[in-house]
Amino acid sequence: MAPFTSQELRKGFASFATGVTVITCVDEDQSPHGITISSFNTVSLEPPLILWSLKKHSRLMPWVEAGKKHLIHVLERSQESLAMHFATVKVNQFADIAHQRTDSGLTQIKDCVAYYECETVSVHIGGDHNIIVAKVINLKNYPEKEPLIFARSKFVGLDFSEAKSS
């Protein structure tokens, strides 16, 4: 095979459709922070583990290290603007975002498809990213809601009305 450019690789990766999530965490002052992530994946049912990736030098790394808690939000089809909002760094990210504090002190964005409250169990280096492996310690799921999907550098949805059950 011929070598490829990073731009060609990026386009190739874009062919893989993925759900869209926002990860929220809190800093040492209990101030909330969030970031849009599409690199979310399930790992194990026993124990309940997930993984996601974050740029190695992200400002959020200190708050998602081993032992720290974070909340993963699976975005709903109509929440494209939330995905774009948390895709860039902003001061006071939650000013105009409907959210609440969970009992554990994390920030929960309202009206998402699912929520996974997690605690990081390990961090692995993967090139220019860190791979965060986390244990799911609490979960809320709303299967009647449709998830937001990202593919070929665009947000899309799935039409579940035509899905056939087996």
Side-chain angles (χ1 to χ4, degrees), residues 71-83:
L71 189 60
I72 299 170
H73 306 71
V74 178
L75 296 189
E76 197 269 335
R77 187 175 186 170
S78 67
Q79 293 178 315
E80 268 183 51
S81 61
L82 274 176

Side-chain angles (χ1 to χ4, degrees), residues 5-108:
T5 67
S6 61
Q7 196 61 11
E8 290 169 326
L9 181 61
R10 179 180 280 254
K11 284 182 181 178
F13 284 167
S15 294
F16 182 71
T18 181
V20 184
T21 64
V22 169
I23 312 285
T24 59
C25 57
V26 293
D27 62 22
E28 55 279 345
D29 297 325
Q30 300 306 301
S31 296
H33 300 274
I35 189 167
T36 301
I37 298 286
S38 61
S39 61
F40 167 83
N41 198 9
T42 58
V43 175
S44 168
L45 292 175
E46 290 295 329
L49 298 175
I50 56 89
L51 68 77
W52 56 280
S53 303
L54 184 63
K55 283 185 182 175
K56 207 185 290 187
H57 302 294
S58 170
R59 65 187 178 82
L60 272 62
M61 250 341 283
W63 309 313
V64 296
E65 292 173 343
K68 305 282 177 109
K69 292 185 180 175
H70 54 277
L71 189 60
I72 299 170
H73 306 71
V74 178
L75 296 189
E76 197 269 335
R77 187 175 186 170
S78 67
Q79 293 178 315
E80 268 183 51
S81 61
L82 274 176
M84 294 306 295
H85 176 83
F86 287 101
T88 58
V89 176
K90 292 175 182 53
V91 176
N92 201 2
Q93 285 183 301
F94 294 88
D96 297 319
I97 304 298
H99 68 282
Q100 62 194 24
R101 235 6 130 136
T102 66
D103 291 342
S104 60
L106 294 169
T107 302
Q108 181 180 7

Side-chain angles (χ1 to χ4, degrees), residues 74-77 113 142-149 156-165:
V74 178
L75 296 189
E76 197 269 335
R77 187 175 186 170
V113 172
Y142 301 93
E144 70 280 3
K145 295 184 178 199
E146 293 185 22
L148 181 62
I149 306 296
V156 294
L158 297 176
D159 185 359
F160 288 106
S161 64
E162 295 189 24
K164 297 187 173 124
S165 37

